[in-house]
Amino acid sequence: MGLRIAVAGAGLSGAVAGRELAEAGHRVVVYDPRPHVAGNCHTERDDATGVMVHRYGPHIFHTDDEGVWDYLRRFATFRPYRHSVRTTVRGRVYSMPLNLLTINQFFGRAMRPSEARAFVAARAEPIENPANFEEQALSLVGRELYEAFFKGYTEKQWGCAPTDLPATILARLPLRFNYDDNYFFHRFQGMPEAGYTALVERILDHPGIDVHLGTAFVPDRAGDWDHVLWTGPLDAFFGHALGPLPYRTLDFEEFRDTGDWQGCAVMNEADPDVPHTRTTEHKHFAPWESHEGTVLFRERSRACGAGDIPYYPIRLAREKALLAEYVSLAEEAGGNVTFLGRLGTYRYLDMDRTVREALDAAAALLAAWGARRSPPVFGCPPL
Ligand code: UDP
């Protein structure tokens, strides 16, 4: 007889882990407070234009994990998609991420790779162990490039000084001394042809899974189930008993036009006096489609309040101390709840990591139940 498992959240984490447990013969019921599956990677076709819109901002699938890539392609056809981003600095457009074209454009030069490498190295500040985002950037590219491309954008995105942010955030962006402007360095990159929501619907389409949308899972009911997978915010499970774990949320100002409004999928705005961080033109995420109309989002970041949708966990020293308290609470509660995913483990996760951790968490749960051991409290340790 299979176990009765509740999954709180129909995003990638909940869908993938739920599917694995259902395939192993357990009975899975998935709850999500929103009226759609796929969490923040939800996509929907805009009625008026036919454009596939990334409702909660741009999501581009990229990975080096062949297992994850093969897994997702069981449920969707992925179309080749190469993400290339531009950024506007003081009225001029530059190539992103920082590459040889950006460096030559910015300094008005025509340097070859070895010349640019030496040129940037001469500007980089000698900081031995960069302790924060700003030090990391200064030690990599020097003050001029840092102030033009990273400082303003990062202050707007995170609402704090880059000296308060961890150096790891910058590690997301490549620095290249050639003309490759692919935003990611991963081997596999693509867009699900019918959108992320169709992909997640297919993952959840299994006779052992029931999905209840528009229905929040109530943590107090955890005792009614053999096991609960909680992919909502860690602090929400405990009714924010120790105070809220802070996030940044996003506001999208939608506008429309015809034709091609900005010529690329994402245009960043690096200047501090431009209030939005980037503009997304959704039709460019599906270059194999053709639409007369176009839908764009101007994106702004701000502190996440009660009732807002959480996007980016803010993991500064104070927040990590609070996180540690919630982790202790979760470990003490132990028993039949496993916390999973971006919100459940309070980490800045890309989609491929989310899928990998969901697959691994399901395998760990099955192994623990098989061996009559206690199941893991976290899909991946949050600290
Ligand atoms: N970033 C920046 N300038 C840019 C783009 C990114 O300073 O033009 C910094 C910023 O701090 C951001 C981080 O790099 O939060 C990671 O950027 P990424 O594009 O990966 O962010 P995401 O798409 O996940 O919001």
Side-chain angles (χ1 to χ4, degrees):
M1 247 296 265
L3 301 177
R4 288 176 62 256
I5 297 161
V7 177
L12 274 177
S13 296
V16 169
R19 172 83 188 206
E20 291 297 290
L21 299 180
E23 284 186 2
H26 299 293
R27 182 86 217 138
V28 174
V29 184
V30 179
Y31 296 87
D32 200 292
R34 291 192 261 190
H36 58 75
V37 303
N40 279 5
C41 63
H42 171 54
T43 46
E44 68 185 353
R45 222 171 255 294
D46 176 66
D47 284 342
T49 59
V51 170
M52 187 65 85
V53 171
H54 292 210
R55 266 294 145 213
Y56 303 92
H59 282 78
I60 296 94
F61 189 81
H62 54 96
T63 191
D64 264 339
D65 186 332
E66 200 160 359
V68 165
W69 180 236
D70 290 342
Y71 179 84
L72 290 181
R73 287 184 306 146
R74 278 173 52 195
F75 304 101
T77 300
F78 276 75
R79 288 279 202 151
Y81 176 80
R82 191 176 178 283
H83 195 41
S84 93
V85 174
R86 303 289 180 272
T87 187
T88 304
V89 181
R90 294 190 287 276
R92 287 174 188 266
V93 173
Y94 295 93
S95 178
M96 274 300 272
L98 287 200
N99 64 72
L100 189 51
L101 182 58
T102 328
I103 297 163
N104 276 327
Q105 286 174 317
F106 187 73
F107 292 105
R109 308 284 283 255
M111 293 179 281
R112 291 182 297 104
S114 59
E115 294 166 332
R117 214 178 267 282
F119 181 87
V120 171
R123 283 167 162 69
E125 296 189 7
I127 301 170
E128 229 166 71
N129 291 311
N132 57 55
F133 184 100
E134 178 165 301
E135 288 186 8
Q136 177 79 21
L138 291 174
S139 72
L140 268 177
V141 300
R143 189 158 295 275
E144 294 121 302
L145 290 169
Y146 163 65
E147 288 192 344
F149 293 97
F150 298 135
K151 189 167 187 284
Y153 187 99
T154 297
E155 284 166 354
K156 291 190 288 184
Q157 171 68 15
W158 293 96
C160 65
T163 44
D164 288 336
L165 289 167
T168 47
I169 293 181
L170 189 68
R172 294 176 58 82
L173 301 183
L175 164 66
R176 300 201 186 98
F177 291 98
N178 58 28
Y179 290 102
D180 179 3
D181 69 353
N182 191 340
Y183 203 66
F184 305 111
F185 14 37
H186 288 145
R187 273 187 302 158
F188 309 107
Q189 202 173 147
M191 244 347 142
E193 187 173 39
Y196 290 100
T197 298
L199 162 70
V200 175
E201 280 167 356
R202 284 281 304 277
I203 297 173
L204 289 166
D205 182 13
H206 184 279
I209 303 180
D210 283 328
V211 180
H212 297 284
L213 296 178
T215 313
F217 178 80
V218 183
D220 290 353
R221 304 293 301 270
D224 298 351
W225 300 83
D226 293 316
H227 201 78
V228 173
L229 279 182
W230 177 265
T231 73
L234 172 60
D235 53 338
F237 184 84
F238 299 102
H240 310 281
L242 310 172
L245 282 170
Y247 286 89
R248 299 294 285 174
T249 191
L250 300 175
D251 292 323
F252 300 104
E253 179 203 336
E254 181 174 321
F255 64 103
R256 285 148 190 275
D257 207 329
T258 51
D260 186 356
W261 196 82
Q262 66 178 13
C264 61
V266 175
M267 175 64 76
N268 289 353
E269 294 292 342
D271 292 339
D273 50 335
V274 177
H276 54 285
T277 52
R278 57 187 175 186
T279 303
T280 295
E281 185 163 21
H282 297 266
K283 69 185 340 180
H284 293 296
F285 292 134
W288 61 91
E289 295 183 1
S290 129
H291 304 284
E292 177 66 21
T294 189
V295 183
L296 295 101
F297 284 3
R298 271 194 202 99
E299 183 174 326
R300 284 167 86 144
S301 166
R302 64 175 167 82
C304 184
D308 291 328
I309 295 170
Y311 284 79
Y312 299 88
I314 306 170
R315 294 171 61 96
L316 309 181
R318 196 164 43 90
E319 288 75 13
K320 274 168 110 170
L322 180 59
L323 173 62
E325 292 180 40
Y326 274 112
V327 168
S328 305
L329 212 55
E331 276 160 359
E332 279 159 30
N336 76 328
V337 184
T338 299
F339 297 88
L340 189 64
R342 178 178 58 97
L343 302 172
T345 65
Y346 195 62
R347 284 172 312 137
Y348 189 174
L349 284 185
D350 285 336
M351 289 184 283
D352 63 329
R353 278 289 295 279
T354 306
V355 172
R356 167 50 62 204
E357 291 184 9
L359 290 170
D360 290 351
L365 281 169
L366 293 171
W369 293 327
R372 301 194 177 281
R373 277 188 278 110
S374 0
V377 177
F378 286 101
C380 185
L383 286 162

